[in-house]
Amino acid sequence: MTSSDFAAVAPVAPKKPIVRELWGERAIDDYAWLTDKDSDEVRALLEAENAHTTAMLADTVELQETLFLELKSRVKETDLSVPVEKDGWLYYSRTTEGTSYGAHYRRRVGSDIECLILDENAEAEGTDYFEVGVFEMSLDHKRLLWAVDTDGDERYELRIREFADDDSFRDLDDVIDDVAYGSAWAADNATFFYTKADDAHRQHQVWRHVDGTDQANDVLVFEEPDARFNVGVGRDKDDHYIQIQR
């Protein structure tokens, strides 16, 4: 069978049943094996599905390009978000035609001088995938929590960016691995809270980290053992309280 013949045959994922015990009930999962993204068999199946899709849509290639160009022409690539005011600062983001990601800025109220906070295009250089999952400024507006995923598995690496009075910045040595969505700065501007996810990508824990300390010393603040619920963490709008949502 040639590669073209193979592509014309719709691939079928074989069933490999396993039994799960969930809340006292037995459930049979025929396709749990597909979660192993490093498996050669999973990769082969995905490649076969891609080849089949390409073969089936071969006669629509020109139409696909026409539709793509039409949709792209209707998107305003160079754009500016509505500025959000916080403690005398205006925060906003900008997208520029020809770039894949946005850039984040701030400026003082009444000033036209911009400070670049985070350029996602610069940070994404050399990566095949890039997504920001945490973006949280400290209460004194001198430190930024930012976390990125470069694998597409929604497990983020979190860093701290510190700003000087002249708006220059540096990333501190702290690197927090395997972080999920959600974060909150404490009032001391050195302590912050973040979430972690379990093997099912359910956010189930809230941790506390202090700037300059090893992640191994972080403190587990809250854990949700019930698989029916996720947890999150964040500040309320007036910054009086840090809330853990369940």
Side-chain angles (χ1 to χ4, degrees), residues 192-196 205-209 218-221:
F192 59 83
F193 300 83
Y194 61 91
T195 66
K196 292 180 75 70
Q205 294 176 336
V206 176
W207 290 77
R208 184 178 72 233
H209 178 83
D218 288 359
V219 177
L220 176 62
V221 175

Side-chain angles (χ1 to χ4, degrees), residues 91-123:
Y91 289 87
Y92 52 95
S93 59
R94 178 183 292 118
T95 55
T96 305
E97 184 177 357
T99 61
S100 300
Y101 305 96
H104 305 272
Y105 298 85
R106 70 176 179 180
R107 59 182 171 86
R108 290 283 188 181
V109 173
S111 172
D112 294 329
I113 301 176
E114 286 186 330
C115 168
L116 176 62
I117 301 174
L118 181 71
D119 183 354
E120 294 187 24
N121 295 285
E123 302 297 339

Side-chain angles (χ1 to χ4, degrees), residues 6-240:
F6 177 72
V9 178
V12 177
K15 294 182 178 180
K16 299 181 179 182
I18 64 169
V19 178
R20 298 181 184 274
E21 296 285 345
L22 300 171
W23 306 295
E25 299 288 338
R26 295 177 74 255
I28 298 177
D29 188 342
D30 291 325
Y31 301 105
W33 65 275
L34 290 171
T35 61
D36 184 3
K37 64 180 181 180
D38 296 322
S39 165
D40 291 339
E41 188 174 5
V42 171
R43 179 179 294 275
L45 175 64
L46 293 176
E47 290 175 349
E49 289 178 340
N50 288 340
H52 177 69
T53 300
T54 299
M56 293 297 99
L57 297 178
D59 59 346
T60 68
V61 172
E62 290 186 7
L63 176 60
Q64 291 177 45
E65 182 66 15
T66 299
L67 291 174
F68 171 73
L69 293 176
E70 180 178 345
L71 289 171
K72 185 178 179 181
S73 70
R74 297 173 185 269
V75 175
K76 188 177 181 181
E77 292 189 66
T78 299
D79 201 6
L80 186 71
S81 69
V82 176
V84 175
E85 183 176 351
K86 184 73 172 180
D87 302 326
W89 287 98
L90 291 172
Y91 289 87
Y92 52 95
S93 59
R94 178 183 292 118
T95 55
T96 305
E97 184 177 357
T99 61
S100 300
Y101 305 96
H104 305 272
Y105 298 85
R106 70 176 179 180
R107 59 182 171 86
R108 290 283 188 181
V109 173
S111 172
D112 294 329
I113 301 176
E114 286 186 330
C115 168
L116 176 62
I117 301 174
L118 181 71
D119 183 354
E120 294 187 24
N121 295 285
E123 302 297 339
E125 279 191 28
T127 66
D128 294 325
Y129 179 89
F130 184 87
E131 182 187 18
V132 174
V134 172
F135 190 89
E136 185 82 16
M137 189 64 71
S138 61
L139 298 182
D140 63 1
H141 298 268
K142 293 184 177 180
R143 288 180 170 182
L144 172 72
L145 287 180
W146 64 289
V148 297
D149 168 21
T150 56
D151 293 321
D153 59 1
E154 295 186 319
R155 296 186 182 276
Y156 297 83
E157 181 182 88
L158 187 147
R159 294 180 176 273
I160 305 172
R161 178 161 292 185
E162 186 174 67
F163 295 85
D165 292 338
D166 63 357
D167 288 335
S168 61
F169 59 79
R170 67 186 182 99
D171 287 327
L172 305 185
D173 292 335
D174 295 59
V175 177
I176 314 300
D177 293 317
D178 198 13
V179 172
Y181 297 104
S183 63
W185 281 99
D188 64 359
N189 301 300
T191 303
F192 59 83
F193 300 83
Y194 61 91
T195 66
K196 292 180 75 70
D198 60 16
D199 291 339
H201 286 268
R202 176 182 68 93
Q203 292 180 207
H204 69 130
Q205 294 176 336
V206 176
W207 290 77
R208 184 178 72 233
H209 178 83
V210 178
D211 169 33
T213 64
D214 192 283
Q215 184 179 359
N217 297 323
D218 288 359
V219 177
L220 176 62
V221 175
F222 179 83
E223 182 170 17
E224 174 54 72
D226 193 329
R228 295 175 298 175
F229 298 98
N230 290 340
V231 298
V233 63
R235 278 192 165 273
D236 56 16
K237 288 188 177 181
D238 61 8
D239 288 332
H240 285 174

